[in-house]
Amino acid sequence: MRYDDSPPAPESGPADAPDRHWFTRRSTLVVGVAALAPACLAGWVLTQALSGAGPDETRPHTVPLPASHSALSHGQRDAKPGSSPSSTPTSTPSGSPSTSAAAPAPARGPLSGRTVVIDPGHNTGNFQHTDEIDRKVDIGTNRKECDTTGTTTNSGYMEAEFTMDVSVRTRKILEAQGAKVVLTHETGVRPWGPCINERARIGNEAAADAVVSVHADGVSSGNRGYHIILPATVKSGAADTAKIVGPSRDLGEKIASNFARTTGSSPANYLGSGTGLVVRDDLGGLNLSTRPKVFIECGNMRDAKDAAQLTSPEWRQKAAQGIADGIVGFLGG
Ligand code: ZN
Protein backbone atom coordinates (compact mmCIF):
# COMPACT_ATOMS: atom_id res chain seq x y z
CA MET A 1 0.00 0.00 0.00
CA ARG A 2 1.16 3.49 -0.65
CA TYR A 3 -0.03 6.76 0.57
CA ASP A 4 1.02 9.62 -1.50
CA ASP A 5 -2.16 10.67 -3.12
CA SER A 6 -0.56 12.02 -6.20
CA PRO A 7 -1.59 10.43 -9.44
CA PRO A 8 1.26 8.61 -11.09
CA ALA A 9 3.44 10.52 -13.45
CA PRO A 10 6.84 9.81 -14.88
CA GLU A 11 8.59 12.13 -12.48
CA SER A 12 6.51 11.46 -9.41
CA GLY A 13 5.18 8.02 -9.93
CA PRO A 14 3.92 5.72 -7.27
CA ALA A 15 6.21 4.49 -4.62
CA ASP A 16 6.87 0.84 -4.58
CA ALA A 17 3.79 -0.18 -2.82
CA PRO A 18 1.63 -2.12 -5.16
CA ASP A 19 -1.67 -1.85 -3.45
CA ARG A 20 -2.60 1.53 -4.72
CA HIS A 21 -6.09 2.84 -5.13
CA TRP A 22 -5.83 4.08 -8.60
CA PHE A 23 -5.06 0.72 -9.96
CA THR A 24 -7.96 -0.92 -8.36
CA ARG A 25 -10.67 0.40 -10.61
CA ARG A 26 -9.06 -0.83 -13.74
CA SER A 27 -10.96 -3.44 -15.60
CA THR A 28 -8.05 -4.55 -17.69
CA LEU A 29 -5.71 -7.20 -16.47
CA VAL A 30 -2.49 -5.89 -17.80
CA VAL A 31 -1.28 -2.45 -17.00
CA GLY A 32 0.22 -1.39 -20.27
CA VAL A 33 3.06 1.03 -20.38
CA ALA A 34 1.32 3.41 -22.69
CA ALA A 35 -1.96 3.32 -20.83
CA LEU A 36 -0.53 3.55 -17.36
CA ALA A 37 -0.58 7.25 -16.64
CA PRO A 38 -4.04 8.15 -17.92
CA ALA A 39 -5.60 5.00 -16.56
CA CYS A 40 -4.10 5.53 -13.17
CA LEU A 41 -5.20 9.11 -13.12
CA ALA A 42 -8.73 8.10 -13.98
CA GLY A 43 -8.71 5.43 -11.32
CA TRP A 44 -7.33 7.83 -8.82
CA VAL A 45 -10.02 10.35 -9.48
CA LEU A 46 -12.67 7.67 -9.18
CA THR A 47 -11.22 6.37 -5.97
CA GLN A 48 -11.08 9.81 -4.49
CA ALA A 49 -14.66 10.36 -5.45
CA LEU A 50 -15.76 7.08 -3.95
CA SER A 51 -13.83 7.54 -0.77
CA GLY A 52 -14.98 11.07 -0.29
CA ALA A 53 -11.42 12.21 0.14
CA GLY A 54 -10.32 15.22 -1.75
CA PRO A 55 -7.13 15.02 -3.74
CA ASP A 56 -4.16 16.14 -1.75
CA GLU A 57 -1.10 15.86 -3.88
CA THR A 58 1.14 17.57 -1.41
CA ARG A 59 0.59 15.24 1.49
CA PRO A 60 2.72 12.13 1.26
CA HIS A 61 2.03 9.00 3.22
CA THR A 62 -1.46 9.84 4.13
CA VAL A 63 -3.26 6.79 5.29
CA PRO A 64 -6.84 6.84 4.01
CA LEU A 65 -8.26 7.20 7.46
CA PRO A 66 -10.89 9.57 8.71
CA ALA A 67 -9.71 13.10 8.24
CA SER A 68 -8.75 13.50 11.86
CA HIS A 69 -6.06 10.87 11.58
CA SER A 70 -2.78 11.88 10.10
CA ALA A 71 -0.52 9.12 8.98
CA LEU A 72 2.11 10.05 11.48
CA SER A 73 -0.12 10.38 14.48
CA HIS A 74 -1.92 7.25 13.50
CA GLY A 75 1.27 5.32 13.31
CA GLN A 76 2.36 6.60 16.66
CA ARG A 77 -0.96 5.92 18.24
CA ASP A 78 -1.10 2.39 17.02
CA ALA A 79 2.51 1.49 17.34
CA LYS A 80 3.11 -1.48 19.52
CA PRO A 81 5.27 -1.01 22.57
CA GLY A 82 8.30 -2.29 20.77
CA SER A 83 7.89 0.18 17.97
CA SER A 84 6.87 3.29 19.85
CA PRO A 85 8.81 6.42 19.05
CA SER A 86 10.63 6.25 22.37
CA SER A 87 11.83 2.75 21.76
CA THR A 88 12.32 2.80 18.03
CA PRO A 89 15.94 2.17 17.18
CA THR A 90 17.57 5.39 16.13
CA SER A 91 20.75 4.11 14.64
CA THR A 92 21.45 4.50 11.00
CA PRO A 93 19.70 1.65 9.25
CA SER A 94 22.30 -0.86 8.43
CA GLY A 95 20.53 -4.04 9.27
CA SER A 96 21.51 -6.65 6.84
CA PRO A 97 19.12 -9.28 5.65
CA SER A 98 19.18 -12.26 7.83
CA THR A 99 18.07 -15.79 8.20
CA SER A 100 16.69 -17.13 11.46
CA ALA A 101 18.56 -16.24 14.59
CA ALA A 102 21.09 -18.79 15.75
CA ALA A 103 21.11 -20.24 12.25
CA PRO A 104 20.64 -23.88 13.10
CA ALA A 105 21.68 -26.43 10.56
CA PRO A 106 19.06 -26.34 7.84
CA ALA A 107 16.55 -29.11 7.84
CA ARG A 108 16.87 -31.65 5.12
CA GLY A 109 13.95 -31.62 2.81
CA PRO A 110 12.70 -31.01 -0.69
CA LEU A 111 14.03 -27.46 -0.64
CA SER A 112 17.55 -28.31 0.52
CA GLY A 113 20.01 -26.16 -1.38
CA ARG A 114 17.38 -23.64 -2.43
CA THR A 115 17.28 -20.02 -1.34
CA VAL A 116 14.06 -18.07 -0.89
CA VAL A 117 13.85 -14.37 -0.08
CA ILE A 118 10.72 -13.13 1.66
CA ASP A 119 10.17 -9.38 1.66
CA PRO A 120 7.85 -8.10 4.42
CA GLY A 121 6.29 -5.03 2.82
CA HIS A 122 6.90 -1.67 4.54
CA ASN A 123 8.19 -1.27 8.10
CA THR A 124 6.28 -0.32 11.24
CA GLY A 125 8.87 2.38 11.82
CA ASN A 126 8.20 4.08 8.50
CA PHE A 127 5.50 6.25 10.06
CA GLN A 128 8.16 7.88 12.22
CA HIS A 129 10.65 8.29 9.37
CA THR A 130 8.71 9.90 6.57
CA ASP A 131 11.61 12.16 5.56
CA GLU A 132 13.86 9.17 5.04
CA ILE A 133 11.36 7.05 3.18
CA ASP A 134 10.33 9.98 0.97
CA ARG A 135 13.80 10.10 -0.51
CA LYS A 136 13.71 9.11 -4.15
CA VAL A 137 15.66 6.13 -5.41
CA ASP A 138 16.42 4.99 -8.92
CA ILE A 139 14.32 2.04 -10.07
CA GLY A 140 15.60 2.02 -13.62
CA THR A 141 12.39 3.14 -15.25
CA ASN A 142 12.13 6.25 -13.10
CA ARG A 143 12.68 7.49 -9.57
CA LYS A 144 10.34 6.69 -6.73
CA GLU A 145 10.07 7.06 -3.00
CA CYS A 146 12.42 4.85 -1.01
CA ASP A 147 9.51 3.19 0.76
CA THR A 148 6.00 3.89 1.99
CA THR A 149 4.16 3.53 5.26
CA GLY A 150 1.68 0.88 4.25
CA THR A 151 -1.98 0.84 5.17
CA THR A 152 -3.86 -0.17 8.31
CA THR A 153 -7.17 -1.72 9.13
CA ASN A 154 -9.86 0.65 10.34
CA SER A 155 -8.97 -0.39 13.88
CA GLY A 156 -5.30 0.39 13.40
CA TYR A 157 -3.63 -2.94 12.70
CA MET A 158 -0.71 -1.99 10.53
CA GLU A 159 0.01 -3.57 7.20
CA ALA A 160 3.67 -3.68 8.21
CA GLU A 161 2.76 -5.79 11.24
CA PHE A 162 0.78 -8.10 9.02
CA THR A 163 3.49 -8.48 6.42
CA MET A 164 6.17 -9.26 8.99
CA ASP A 165 3.99 -11.80 10.76
CA VAL A 166 3.11 -13.65 7.57
CA SER A 167 6.71 -13.51 6.38
CA VAL A 168 8.07 -15.01 9.58
CA ARG A 169 5.45 -17.75 9.45
CA THR A 170 6.33 -18.45 5.83
CA ARG A 171 10.02 -18.62 6.66
CA LYS A 172 9.41 -21.19 9.34
CA ILE A 173 7.48 -23.42 6.98
CA LEU A 174 10.09 -23.18 4.24
CA GLU A 175 13.02 -23.74 6.57
CA ALA A 176 11.37 -26.91 7.82
CA GLN A 177 11.55 -28.12 4.23
CA GLY A 178 15.24 -27.39 3.96
CA ALA A 179 15.27 -23.98 2.30
CA LYS A 180 17.61 -21.18 3.18
CA VAL A 181 15.28 -18.27 3.81
CA VAL A 182 16.31 -14.62 3.90
CA LEU A 183 14.03 -11.82 5.06
CA THR A 184 14.74 -8.37 3.68
CA HIS A 185 14.35 -6.94 7.18
CA GLU A 186 13.53 -8.07 10.68
CA THR A 187 11.37 -6.63 13.44
CA GLY A 188 13.21 -4.01 15.44
CA VAL A 189 16.50 -4.31 13.58
CA ARG A 190 16.24 -1.18 11.53
CA PRO A 191 14.04 1.86 12.17
CA TRP A 192 12.70 2.19 8.63
CA GLY A 193 12.89 0.71 5.16
CA PRO A 194 14.72 -0.93 3.47
CA CYS A 195 14.31 1.17 0.36
CA ILE A 196 12.68 -0.58 -2.55
CA ASN A 197 15.89 -0.80 -4.53
CA GLU A 198 17.63 -2.43 -1.59
CA ARG A 199 14.77 -4.89 -1.19
CA ALA A 200 15.33 -5.94 -4.77
CA ARG A 201 19.09 -6.07 -4.35
CA ILE A 202 18.81 -8.41 -1.39
CA GLY A 203 17.04 -10.97 -3.52
CA ASN A 204 19.51 -10.53 -6.33
CA GLU A 205 22.59 -10.83 -4.15
CA ALA A 206 21.18 -13.88 -2.41
CA ALA A 207 20.80 -15.47 -5.85
CA ALA A 208 17.33 -16.36 -4.67
CA ASP A 209 15.46 -19.10 -6.45
CA ALA A 210 12.23 -17.29 -5.62
CA VAL A 211 11.33 -13.95 -4.04
CA VAL A 212 7.95 -12.98 -2.63
CA SER A 213 7.03 -9.53 -1.33
CA VAL A 214 4.16 -9.72 1.14
CA HIS A 215 1.54 -6.97 1.31
CA ALA A 216 -2.11 -6.27 2.04
CA ASP A 217 -4.17 -3.78 0.15
CA GLY A 218 -5.93 -0.65 1.33
CA VAL A 219 -8.84 0.15 -0.95
CA SER A 220 -12.48 0.93 -0.46
CA SER A 221 -14.72 -1.36 1.54
CA GLY A 222 -16.43 -3.98 -0.57
CA ASN A 223 -13.29 -4.67 -2.54
CA ARG A 224 -12.14 -8.06 -1.36
CA GLY A 225 -9.80 -10.91 -2.05
CA TYR A 226 -6.17 -11.51 -2.87
CA HIS A 227 -4.10 -10.82 -5.93
CA ILE A 228 -0.60 -11.52 -7.12
CA ILE A 229 1.40 -8.84 -8.93
CA LEU A 230 3.67 -10.08 -11.68
CA PRO A 231 6.52 -8.15 -13.31
CA ALA A 232 5.93 -6.66 -16.72
CA THR A 233 8.67 -6.69 -19.32
CA VAL A 234 10.68 -3.55 -18.78
CA LYS A 235 14.13 -2.52 -19.91
CA SER A 236 15.42 0.84 -18.78
CA GLY A 237 18.48 1.75 -16.80
CA ALA A 238 19.10 -0.92 -14.19
CA ALA A 239 15.71 -2.49 -14.85
CA ASP A 240 15.63 -5.47 -17.18
CA THR A 241 12.99 -8.07 -16.42
CA ALA A 242 13.10 -10.06 -19.64
CA LYS A 243 14.54 -13.12 -17.93
CA ILE A 244 12.21 -13.14 -14.97
CA VAL A 245 8.82 -12.43 -16.54
CA GLY A 246 8.16 -16.06 -17.45
CA PRO A 247 9.30 -17.77 -14.25
CA SER A 248 7.73 -15.06 -12.14
CA ARG A 249 4.36 -15.75 -13.72
CA ASP A 250 4.80 -19.43 -12.94
CA LEU A 251 5.66 -18.56 -9.35
CA GLY A 252 2.69 -16.24 -9.10
CA GLU A 253 0.23 -18.74 -10.49
CA LYS A 254 1.47 -21.39 -8.08
CA ILE A 255 1.10 -19.07 -5.13
CA ALA A 256 -2.34 -17.89 -6.24
CA SER A 257 -3.79 -21.37 -6.47
CA ASN A 258 -2.27 -22.54 -3.21
CA PHE A 259 -3.24 -19.36 -1.38
CA ALA A 260 -6.83 -19.81 -2.50
CA ARG A 261 -6.78 -23.40 -1.33
CA THR A 262 -5.30 -22.83 2.12
CA THR A 263 -7.18 -19.64 3.00
CA GLY A 264 -10.45 -20.19 1.18
CA SER A 265 -10.16 -16.64 -0.14
CA SER A 266 -11.25 -15.64 -3.60
CA PRO A 267 -9.28 -13.75 -6.19
CA ALA A 268 -9.72 -10.00 -5.91
CA ASN A 269 -13.11 -8.79 -7.07
CA TYR A 270 -11.83 -5.35 -8.02
CA LEU A 271 -9.00 -6.00 -10.45
CA GLY A 272 -7.43 -8.82 -12.39
CA SER A 273 -10.73 -9.89 -13.97
CA GLY A 274 -11.16 -12.58 -11.38
CA THR A 275 -7.82 -14.24 -12.06
CA GLY A 276 -6.05 -12.98 -8.97
CA LEU A 277 -3.17 -11.97 -11.23
CA VAL A 278 -2.11 -8.49 -12.28
CA VAL A 279 0.93 -7.37 -14.28
CA ARG A 280 2.58 -4.08 -13.38
CA ASP A 281 5.54 -2.18 -14.71
CA ASP A 282 5.81 0.51 -12.05
CA LEU A 283 7.18 -1.35 -9.06
CA GLY A 284 10.88 -1.00 -8.39
CA GLY A 285 10.90 -4.16 -6.34
CA LEU A 286 9.93 -6.07 -9.47
CA ASN A 287 11.67 -3.98 -12.10
CA LEU A 288 15.04 -4.26 -10.40
CA SER A 289 14.80 -7.94 -9.62
CA THR A 290 16.94 -10.40 -11.51
CA ARG A 291 15.34 -13.33 -9.71
CA PRO A 292 11.82 -14.74 -10.12
CA LYS A 293 9.69 -12.48 -7.98
CA VAL A 294 6.08 -11.58 -7.25
CA PHE A 295 4.14 -9.43 -4.83
CA ILE A 296 1.10 -10.78 -3.07
CA GLU A 297 -1.70 -8.60 -1.77
CA CYS A 298 -3.31 -10.94 0.71
CA GLY A 299 -6.56 -9.04 1.14
CA ASN A 300 -8.04 -5.59 1.67
CA MET A 301 -7.35 -4.18 5.11
CA ARG A 302 -10.05 -1.53 4.66
CA ASP A 303 -12.81 -4.07 4.16
CA ALA A 304 -14.30 -5.34 7.40
CA LYS A 305 -14.67 -8.94 6.21
CA ASP A 306 -11.17 -9.13 4.81
CA ALA A 307 -9.80 -7.34 7.86
CA ALA A 308 -11.35 -9.92 10.14
CA GLN A 309 -9.25 -12.50 8.34
CA LEU A 310 -6.07 -10.47 8.12
CA THR A 311 -6.13 -9.79 11.87
CA SER A 312 -6.58 -13.47 12.71
CA PRO A 313 -3.38 -15.36 13.60
CA GLU A 314 -5.03 -18.56 12.43
CA TRP A 315 -5.83 -17.07 9.06
CA ARG A 316 -2.33 -15.65 8.73
CA GLN A 317 -0.92 -19.11 9.27
CA LYS A 318 -3.10 -20.34 6.42
CA ALA A 319 -1.87 -17.46 4.30
CA ALA A 320 1.74 -18.33 5.06
CA GLN A 321 1.06 -21.96 4.24
CA GLY A 322 -0.40 -21.01 0.90
CA ILE A 323 2.53 -18.80 0.02
CA ALA A 324 5.00 -21.47 1.09
CA ASP A 325 3.16 -24.20 -0.79
CA GLY A 326 3.22 -22.06 -3.90
CA ILE A 327 6.94 -21.56 -3.59
CA VAL A 328 7.46 -25.26 -3.06
CA GLY A 329 5.39 -26.00 -6.12
CA PHE A 330 7.37 -23.51 -8.16
CA LEU A 331 10.67 -24.94 -7.02
CA GLY A 332 9.52 -28.46 -7.70
CA GLY A 333 9.87 -29.51 -4.11
ZN1 ZN B 1 1.87 -2.68 0.83
Side-chain angles (χ1 to χ4, degrees):
M1 183 63 197
R2 67 182 292 274
Y3 293 99
D4 96 51
D5 282 337
S6 59
E11 296 303 316
S12 60
D16 202 30
D19 30 4
R20 178 49 187 155
H21 304 186
W22 20 263
F23 290 99
T24 61
R25 302 296 171 180
R26 289 177 53 76
S27 59
T28 52
L29 173 60
V30 176
V31 178
V33 175
L36 181 60
C40 291
L41 178 59
W44 171 78
V45 170
L46 177 57
T47 298
Q48 296 302 311
L50 291 173
S51 68
D56 185 349
E57 299 181 23
T58 63
R59 185 178 59 195
H61 308 295
T62 301
V63 179
L65 291 169
S68 60
H69 297 81
S70 72
L72 183 58
S73 64
H74 186 82
Q76 291 170 333
R77 176 170 57 85
D78 293 311
K80 286 186 172 181
S83 59
S84 65
S86 61
S87 60
T88 299
T90 56
S91 60
T92 300
S94 59
S96 57
S98 60
T99 54
S100 291
R108 300 185 69 83
L111 297 186
S112 293
R114 313 305 289 270
T115 298
V116 177
V117 170
I118 305 295
D119 175 38
H122 315 284
N123 182 324
T124 56
N126 283 359
F127 284 102
Q128 283 82 43
H129 293 274
T130 53
D131 287 346
E132 291 92 338
I133 66 172
D134 278 349
R135 182 170 50 86
K136 296 287 182 66
V137 297
D138 187 351
I139 67 164
T141 50
N142 65 328
R143 294 180 64 82
K144 293 179 64 173
E145 288 81 4
C146 152
D147 205 9
T148 48
T149 58
T151 189
T152 71
T153 65
N154 291 332
S155 61
Y157 179 58
M158 297 169 70
E159 180 188 356
E161 296 177 85
F162 170 84
T163 65
M164 182 59 74
D165 183 81
V166 170
S167 296
V168 169
R169 292 173 186 273
T170 304
R171 174 173 65 184
K172 185 174 183 179
I173 296 167
L174 293 171
E175 286 183 338
Q177 302 199 46
K180 175 186 177 184
V181 181
V182 178
L183 299 191
T184 58
H185 66 111
E186 299 270 4
T187 299
V189 173
R190 55 186 302 157
W192 53 270
C195 294
I196 54 176
N197 55 339
E198 182 179 353
R199 291 173 188 264
R201 186 165 63 244
I202 291 168
N204 297 345
E205 294 182 349
D209 297 295
V211 187
V212 178
S213 189
V214 179
H215 290 260
D217 214 343
V219 293
S220 301
S221 180
N223 296 303
R224 297 196 61 194
Y226 69 87
H227 67 277
I228 312 290
I229 304 173
L230 312 175
T233 300
V234 297
K235 183 174 176 60
S236 179
D240 184 358
T241 59
K243 293 181 179 176
I244 69 163
V245 165
S248 296
R249 173 171 285 277
D250 185 20
L251 172 64
E253 290 176 346
K254 294 278 197 314
I255 292 175
S257 60
N258 281 282
F259 190 86
R261 176 179 55 79
T262 60
T263 64
S265 293
S266 298
N269 64 4
Y270 57 95
L271 75 179
S273 301
T275 64
L277 301 170
V278 177
V279 176
R280 284 178 56 176
D281 63 7
D282 62 314
L283 301 178
L286 295 179
N287 289 358
L288 296 173
S289 182
T290 60
R291 316 301 301 176
K293 182 172 182 178
V294 300
F295 283 55
I296 179 168
E297 298 282 2
C298 294
N300 177 17
M301 300 195 86
R302 314 300 291 190
D303 178 85
K305 292 179 179 176
D306 271 13
Q309 297 178 323
L310 296 163
T311 54
S312 161
E314 293 77 19
W315 190 89
R316 292 198 296 270
Q317 184 64 29
K318 295 176 183 177
Q321 188 70 54
I323 294 169
D325 288 351
I327 294 169
V328 171
F330 170 71
L331 296 177

